[in-house]
Amino acid sequence: MGEEKKEQSDLKQLSQEEVEKHTTGTSSWLVIHDKVYDVTKFLEEHPGGEEVLLEQAGKDGTESFEDVGHSEDARELMENYLIGELRDEDKASNKYPEKRDMWKSSGNGSTCSLS
């Protein structure tokens, strides 16, 4: 991969409103665990088909992502598309504290952090 993982403090802070502007095949962003990913270049490569990603574009796709049970390889691949994180006031962990524990364990043995 060549690039080092982006440090949490280096991530650009984005609003949910900004994410919601990117819902097309030419600009497709989605949120997973409060992190924002630009998946535009990955649409054609996604094993589940581009329509799956486009359905989640501009939204928080955490629940859908976890329901599928993505592999550790898929989770590592996501880092290539990471462009920022939601501002604190837009984070799902703040809006839906009852789901915080559910999302910590993805059910496939890996642990996901909401911070």
Side-chain angles (χ1 to χ4, degrees):
M1 282 192 247
E3 285 186 36
E4 290 182 30
K5 270 189 173 179
K6 294 181 182 177
E7 293 296 322
Q8 193 76 15
S9 60
D10 293 340
L11 292 176
K12 184 176 180 180
Q13 300 292 301
L14 298 163
S15 69
Q16 182 63 44
E17 184 179 348
E18 178 64 25
V19 173
E20 290 170 359
K21 295 176 185 177
H22 300 272
T23 61
T24 67
T26 57
S27 183
S28 189
W29 293 7
L30 55 87
V31 176
I32 299 174
H33 294 294
D34 297 326
K35 293 184 180 174
V36 181
Y37 299 88
D38 180 349
V39 296
T40 310
K41 293 179 181 176
F42 185 63
L43 290 173
E44 291 182 15
E45 298 173 35
H46 186 255
E50 67 181 60
E51 57 280 340
V52 175
L53 294 176
L54 289 172
E55 284 176 15
Q56 298 300 318
K59 303 178 199 171
D60 187 326
T62 302
E63 193 166 355
S64 295
F65 179 83
E66 294 299 350
D67 284 349
V68 171
H70 285 86
S71 67
E72 193 59 38
D73 287 342
R75 293 171 190 277
E76 289 176 17
L77 183 63
M78 288 171 52
E79 296 299 317
N80 295 325
Y81 303 97
L82 180 63
I83 59 169
E85 69 178 337
L86 286 180
R87 298 181 311 184
D88 285 343
E89 57 267 29
D90 290 331
K91 288 184 175 181
S93 57
N94 293 333
K95 291 182 180 179
Y96 309 106
E98 69 278 4
K99 292 195 173 190
R100 188 177 301 135
D101 291 335
M102 178 186 76
W103 287 339
K104 281 184 182 176
S105 175
S106 66
N108 66 1
S110 62
T111 301
C112 302
S113 173
L114 292 176
S115 56

